[in-house]
Amino acid sequence: MMKRKYAVLALILLLCCFEAKAEDGSRLWLRTEKNAQQEQPKVKMSGKKDATLRLACDEIHQYWKGKSVVLTVKKNGKTRDGFDIFDDSRAVRIESASSLGVLYGAYTLLRMQAMGQPIQGTISETPCYDIRILNHWDNPNGTVERGFAGRSIFWHDALSAPSGRTRRAVDGVTSASTPQDNAPQKQDDHLVTIWKAYARANASIGINATVLNNVNAKPLMLGDEKLQETKRIADVLRPYGIKVYLSVNFASPKAIGGLSTADPLDPDVRRWWKEKANDIYRMIPDFGGFLVKANSEGEPGPMDYGRSHVDGANMLAEALAPHGGIVMWRAFVYSAKEGSDRAAQAVEEFMPYDGQFAENVIIQIKNGPVDFQPREPISPLLLAMKQTQTMIEVQITQEYLGESVHSVFLAPMWKECFDVAKAPDGFANFDKHIGNRKTAFAGVANIGDSRNWCGSDMAQANWYAFGRLAWNPDLSNEQIAREFLSQTFSTNPVFVTEMTHVLCQSRESCVKYMMPLGLHHIFAGNHHYGPEPWYAPKGVRADWLPPYYHKADANGLGFDRTVETGSGATKQYPPSLYNKYNDLNSCPENLLLWFHHVAWNHRMHSGKTLWDMLCLTYEEGVREAEAFADTWRNMKQYVDADRWEALMKRYDRQARDAWWWRDACVLYFQTFSKLPLPDGFRPAKFKLDDLKRYRLVMDNYTAADMDKLP
Ligand code: GCV
């Protein structure tokens, strides 16, 4: 009897230990256990021992489980954040011209260890982009626009002061304290711990810059209080090689500066910005610069004063130039009133200014011409600007790809853009330096204060992929997926192989069940999660409504952007792409309905009609989403229970949502085509009328709301 009691006690204890070790996703891909004190390897540093080199040393001490390591900063080492790693049989050597290069080398060594890769020959790397930058759409009150992972880790109003929700078992950084109570000092310490963990995660994948606030910027971001906070964050991020930037509101001189105008040609306004820049650099000497959304979606800008993008961008550039700061000026613009084809407006608005922007201005352009849709062609502006440094902005947060519920790996989408940019007659210069200008790559972050940072454990893959691609865009989707999965979940080969396949297929499947064949922007009215291709209330501007984009009618489907009969947007591409896209027969079928209005009975390459192909592609997407859920179900043995369960719930929901999308779109388009559903298309689960009545009202819908969906 006694023995049984002890056995039960032992079991409970064991379970408790197991529980303590349970994973909550907070460690991201950095899950190597720390070395015990006596197991720490010898590490020698040579070169100036700044905070960054000491960090590299700490990382190796704590996590490297091999022979001695020598970290060397030397004049003739690799520049531009690059490094060499080699094993000279006595020690592993990491060398670079900068301590940051050495830190990146240290993280590379640790990644190789986590993946069980030996050091063979010299590993020599230099990042592709100079500036590898996250854009946080975080508001000063702590909310995050298009954020699906909780609240901001940087900003909070009095009511949203850091709570237990933000408490994480943060490994790898020294926790100043745990916020057991609400004492401000403890809360501050806790924030510092989170910022350090954030910086460490970013540095481990090569990210070296961050914009701390939303592009829909509040003027108060340039007030004293927020600048003090920015300084505190910058101080924490600096040793990890991460520079901070701010989004600025163009009307700030008026809104907080007491001026009567924000006209960029007004001398007082110019002086105000210069003084503001001087103030910022006094506080943060390595401040990166400004990100600006001007004259777009209601944000103020130079056009409010009859001035141009050049006038606005160059004025800010002039204020930042003496300090080495830069302006990232966004080209996400479309006319305030309905105008020409929305997909064509950025080129129309920016091309007249090609070559007129100051040296320290980069034009930041979304990967596609509309707005982060599941599939878009490349933005023609990226291929058109010859004399202007451009940069690509992608969206890591899944505003249009299932938020933090659907597991959709975005590397294939971003690589598709890089690949098309290689058009021989395009002028893509986002990865080439024009003169001394810097190259950059931006991603809208999917980070919030949820325990696993991204809302979903699998969404972390997109943060990871962004960093790795900003470092090396030639990495394959498979390699990035394998790296992420083996570090974040398990190195078991069955797990890694099966899930790599799922991840790499997931974006294409999402396109199939949401918007195949070039369909775009057929989301619901009040959110970008579910389908509502019929959404067209009176009084809303047409180019905010799905029918503007799909143009379904009795004849067919799709937006005619051809020169002959449509908007002519195809002409904005270089000839090689124009010829391809403008011709119905040569247009890639995965973009067909983006560029053409196509008859329902048009024969596709497969011999099927457009209608049959559309239905069957939706069907294929659903089957693939179901297969993802089945695969994950079988992964239970390789993953800790908590993360497995949380993701299982999401994979099941994703499959159900795929049905929702399929039924909503196909049944709705059938009211135009009037054609029967093809063989192989399983009977609908939903009725069109029920779906039309259904309104999902949550904006930032989260996993907690999953059960409320159809
Ligand atoms: C920050 C889309 C999003 C907006 C976002 C905007 C932008 O329209 O829905 O939330 O605003 O893009 O990129 O500026």
Side-chain angles (χ1 to χ4, degrees):
M1 188 63 187
M2 244 351 221
K3 261 192 187 163
R4 256 186 70 187
K5 204 169 152 190
Y6 282 126
V8 171
L9 265 176
L11 189 68
I12 291 173
L13 262 175
L14 199 78
L15 285 176
C16 289
C17 294
F18 185 74
E19 182 59 24
K21 278 213 158 270
E23 301 247 9
D24 59 8
S26 59
R27 293 191 294 172
L28 298 159
W29 46 88
L30 297 165
R31 291 166 56 255
T32 303
E33 294 300 335
K34 271 188 187 161
N35 292 325
Q37 188 81 25
Q38 65 278 13
E39 284 166 357
Q40 292 191 346
K42 281 208 184 98
V43 189
K44 207 176 134 204
M45 287 186 276
S46 123
K48 189 167 162 250
K49 295 183 185 55
D50 62 11
T52 304
L53 192 61
R54 281 201 298 274
L55 262 179
C57 179
D58 279 0
E59 291 285 357
I60 299 292
H61 259 146
Q62 293 188 48
Y63 298 103
W64 172 244
K65 298 175 193 327
K67 58 162 64 155
S68 310
V69 177
V70 182
L71 306 174
T72 308
V73 179
K74 59 179 200 180
K75 270 213 181 91
N76 60 350
K78 277 234 141 68
T79 55
R80 292 191 52 235
D81 300 347
F83 59 80
D84 290 315
I85 304 176
F86 55 96
D87 184 345
D88 74 357
S89 79
R90 276 167 303 157
V92 176
R93 296 182 174 273
I94 303 179
E95 301 183 349
S96 171
S98 68
S99 54
L100 185 57
V102 171
L103 181 64
Y104 290 142
Y107 285 124
T108 302
L109 186 65
L110 294 174
R111 175 166 59 241
M112 292 172 69
Q113 167 181 267
M115 295 190 63
Q117 283 172 355
I119 306 166
Q120 280 164 344
T122 301
I123 295 136
S124 202
E125 296 199 8
T126 306
C128 170
Y129 295 97
D130 300 318
I131 304 173
R132 306 172 291 278
I133 187 165
L134 289 179
N135 287 187
H136 288 268
W137 286 356
D138 292 18
N139 298 311
N141 67 1
T143 55
V144 180
E145 182 155 351
R146 310 305 177 185
F148 312 105
R151 297 177 68 87
S152 172
I153 59 167
F154 300 118
W155 315 106
H156 52 87
D157 58 23
L159 293 175
S160 68
S163 63
R165 202 183 29 208
T166 56
R167 215 176 303 156
R168 287 196 186 87
V170 183
D171 203 3
V173 295
T174 323
S175 175
S177 76
T178 318
Q180 310 284 353
D181 53 39
N182 281 333
Q185 182 56 46
K186 293 218 166 157
Q187 282 176 5
D188 281 7
D189 289 350
H190 179 58
L191 281 178
V192 168
T193 305
I194 289 185
W195 298 339
K196 272 193 195 171
Y198 162 86
R200 176 173 184 252
N202 280 322
S204 76
I205 49 175
I207 290 171
N208 66 352
T210 180
V211 184
L212 299 177
N213 66 308
N214 193 353
V215 286
N216 292 330
K218 299 274 181 256
L220 69 93
M221 287 305 303
L222 291 179
D224 288 346
E225 192 192 317
K226 296 299 172 200
L227 287 181
Q228 283 298 341
E229 183 81 346
T230 304
K231 176 192 158 36
R232 290 182 59 220
I233 299 168
D235 289 345
V236 176
L237 271 42
R238 185 170 298 111
Y240 292 88
I242 297 170
K243 276 192 185 185
V244 303
Y245 292 65
L246 288 176
S247 296
V248 296
N249 181 298
F250 199 80
S252 299
K254 228 172 123 181
I256 58 165
L259 300 185
S260 59
T261 176
D263 180 349
L265 298 192
D266 182 284
D268 289 338
V269 171
R270 298 179 84 82
R271 194 171 316 114
W272 188 88
W273 281 108
K274 279 185 187 158
E275 282 167 9
K276 188 51 81 181
N278 294 344
D279 290 348
I280 295 175
Y281 279 92
R282 256 193 299 278
M283 298 164 77
I284 310 168
D286 57 352
F287 181 72
F290 296 148
L291 172 64
V292 193
K293 171 173 175 177
N295 290 118
S296 163
E297 299 189 327
E299 293 301 310
M303 271 110 118
D304 302 349
Y305 305 94
R307 312 299 183 194
S308 70
H309 288 289
V310 171
D311 295 328
N314 287 359
M315 170 197 62
L316 295 176
E318 189 181 88
L320 294 168
H323 310 282
I326 64 167
V327 176
M328 296 174 171
W329 189 269
R330 292 176 94 228
F332 176 67
V333 293
Y334 55 93
S335 78
K337 295 195 201 95
E338 274 165 54
S340 54
D341 176 0
R342 178 168 156 187
Q345 291 181 23
V347 167
E348 289 164 3
E349 204 161 313
F350 274 82
M351 274 314 282
Y353 304 119
D354 189 17
Q356 296 180 40
F357 290 98
E359 281 257 321
N360 56 336
V361 174
I362 311 183
I363 301 301
Q364 179 165 319
I365 304 170
K366 289 188 182 182
N367 59 290
V370 171
D371 192 8
F372 300 135
Q373 297 300 292
R375 170 164 279 121
E376 296 195 29
I378 191 170
S379 162
L381 190 60
L382 279 165
L383 302 175
M385 293 195 106
K386 284 186 210 157
Q387 300 163 64
T388 305
Q389 190 75 51
T390 59
M391 63 187 278
I392 301 184
E393 173 184 328
V394 296
Q395 199 180 39
I396 308 171
T397 189
Q398 292 168 234
E399 173 181 356
Y400 294 105
L401 291 103
E403 303 188 357
S404 62
V405 179
H406 296 201
S407 291
V408 184
F409 181 53
L410 300 177
M413 172 151 114
W414 304 334
K415 281 183 71 73
E416 192 171 287
C417 173
F418 296 147
D419 287 348
V420 183
K422 290 183 186 142
D425 47 356
F427 294 98
N429 58 44
F430 55 84
D431 56 359
K432 296 173 202 77
H433 299 94
I434 297 198
N436 291 326
R437 294 167 170 88
K438 291 208 164 36
T439 57
F441 181 39
V444 180
N446 61 352
I447 297 162
D449 73 351
S450 68
R451 289 186 76 84
N452 64 12
W453 301 88
C454 301
S456 153
D457 294 300
M458 210 52 97
Q460 296 172 355
N462 292 327
W463 179 5
Y464 185 85
F466 172 77
R468 297 293 285 135
L469 284 175
W471 185 274
N472 179 3
D474 292 331
L475 289 174
S476 70
N477 298 321
E478 286 73 19
Q479 169 155 357
I480 300 170
R482 292 183 88 82
E483 283 182 9
F484 171 77
L485 290 164
S486 32
Q487 293 173 92
T488 311
F489 291 101
S490 162
T491 48
N492 179 287
V494 176
F495 173 82
V496 175
T497 305
E498 298 257 316
M499 287 310 296
T500 296
H501 179 69
V502 167
L503 255 59
C504 290
Q505 210 193 346
S506 58
R507 184 274 184 142
E508 199 57 48
S509 303
C510 177
V511 170
K512 287 181 193 167
Y513 64 69
M514 283 187 180
M515 285 169 240
L517 306 179
L519 284 174
H520 50 291
H521 231 315
I522 54 176
F523 290 96
N526 297 319
H527 57 87
H528 291 157
Y529 184 81
E532 249 180 29
W534 50 83
Y535 184 73
K538 288 211 169 67
V540 179
R541 56 185 283 181
D543 57 0
W544 281 357
L545 299 174
Y548 172 87
Y549 295 99
H550 63 65
K551 302 222 185 303
D553 59 22
N555 300 323
L557 184 65
F559 198 131
D560 185 351
R561 295 193 160 108
T562 63
V563 167
E564 295 75 16
T565 50
S567 74
T570 50
K571 198 71 203 159
Q572 295 184 337
Y573 287 93
S576 64
L577 290 177
Y578 162 72
N579 290 332
K580 206 195 253 185
Y581 295 155
N582 196 61
D583 181 343
L584 179 65
N585 296 312
S586 60
C587 183
E589 287 190 344
N590 62 14
L591 288 172
L592 197 64
L593 305 177
W594 184 286
F595 288 114
H596 297 271
H597 189 70
V598 183
W600 294 115
N601 62 2
H602 168 80
R603 288 280 156 204
M604 306 289 283
H605 298 322
S606 62
K608 293 191 170 62
T609 61
L610 168 70
W611 170 248
D612 284 359
M613 183 89 179
L614 183 77
C615 299
L616 293 173
T617 310
Y618 270 112
E619 173 68 32
E620 209 170 276
V622 176
R623 287 179 194 265
E624 286 169 7
E626 288 173 332
F628 297 159
D630 288 343
T631 304
W632 187 255
R633 218 175 305 286
N634 293 332
M635 296 297 116
K636 192 168 186 178
Q637 57 190 305
Y638 306 114
V639 181
D640 55 283
D642 288 357
R643 288 188 301 168
W644 180 82
E645 212 170 291
L647 277 170
M648 192 66 253
K649 212 172 159 203
R650 285 177 162 76
Y651 271 117
D652 281 338
R653 185 65 244 180
Q654 180 171 356
R656 174 114 180 131
D657 286 345
W659 275 97
W660 176 19
W661 272 97
R662 188 202 80 143
D663 288 357
C665 297
V666 169
L667 298 181
Y668 168 71
F669 291 135
Q670 194 182 29
T671 63
F672 297 92
S673 80
K674 310 259 191 260
L675 291 166
L677 299 166
D679 287 348
F681 188 87
R682 289 173 290 175
K685 281 194 179 174
F686 300 97
K687 289 202 181 83
L688 183 58
D689 285 344
D690 291 346
L691 291 177
K692 279 188 168 178
R693 269 194 302 271
Y694 177 77
R695 302 242 18 99
L696 176 63
V697 283
M698 299 82 80
D699 187 18
N700 282 3
Y701 151 87
T702 68
D705 306 309
M706 279 197 286
D707 298 338
K708 299 180 197 156
L709 295 174

